[in-house]
Amino acid sequence: MYKACIFDLDGTLTNTLESLTYSVNTTLGELGLSSITWQQCRAFVGSGPRPLLEQSLKAVGDQELVHIEQAVEIYARVFKEGCMYKVEPYAGIVELLAALKEKGLRLAV
């Protein structure tokens, strides 16, 4: 019998792709570079912000990652200010968590 459930928040309970795409594109825009699509962002996420930015910079033509250090600094500020931009729980998550809690399971994120 299970006593607890532990969840990852970002991308598991909540859809954060719009927030990540917004943060990357705002960063790229401040660097005078073009944007990536949400599909590209989706393919680039999963290993943390620096790899996300490296792949995004390469996708918009910065193959040598000339802008990476500046991008990391800008992204940290932009994401801190806008990390909740269009973030929503996935369909059914609120109900799932309520049902698990009702069954007496301890929940953690």
Side-chain angles (χ1 to χ4, degrees), residues 74-96:
I74 294 168
Y75 183 85
R77 173 182 46 81
V78 169
F79 187 75
K80 182 179 179 182
E81 295 169 358
C83 66
M84 294 303 294
Y85 178 80
K86 293 190 177 182
V87 172
E88 297 180 356
Y90 285 109
I93 290 296
V94 172
E95 296 81 4
L96 170 68

Side-chain angles (χ1 to χ4, degrees), residues 9-102:
L9 179 67
D10 185 14
T12 302
L13 297 178
T14 58
N15 183 348
T16 56
L17 188 57
E18 288 292 329
S19 174
L20 294 169
T21 305
Y22 168 81
S23 296
V24 168
N25 284 336
T26 300
T27 298
L28 294 172
E30 287 192 26
L31 293 169
L33 301 170
S34 59
S35 298
I36 62 168
T37 66
W38 69 266
Q39 293 95 336
Q40 288 173 303
C41 189
R42 182 183 201 184
F44 300 159
V45 298
S47 298
R50 189 177 184 98
L52 169 61
L53 291 168
E54 289 172 353
Q55 292 181 25
S56 298
L57 286 168
K58 287 180 180 180
V60 299
D62 184 1
Q63 298 300 316
E64 302 299 320
L65 300 176
V66 172
H67 297 95
I68 188 62
E69 297 307 325
Q70 193 176 6
V72 168
E73 289 179 29
I74 294 168
Y75 183 85
R77 173 182 46 81
V78 169
F79 187 75
K80 182 179 179 182
E81 295 169 358
C83 66
M84 294 303 294
Y85 178 80
K86 293 190 177 182
V87 172
E88 297 180 356
Y90 285 109
I93 290 296
V94 172
E95 296 81 4
L96 170 68
L97 295 175
L100 292 173
K101 190 169 184 172
E102 187 175 301

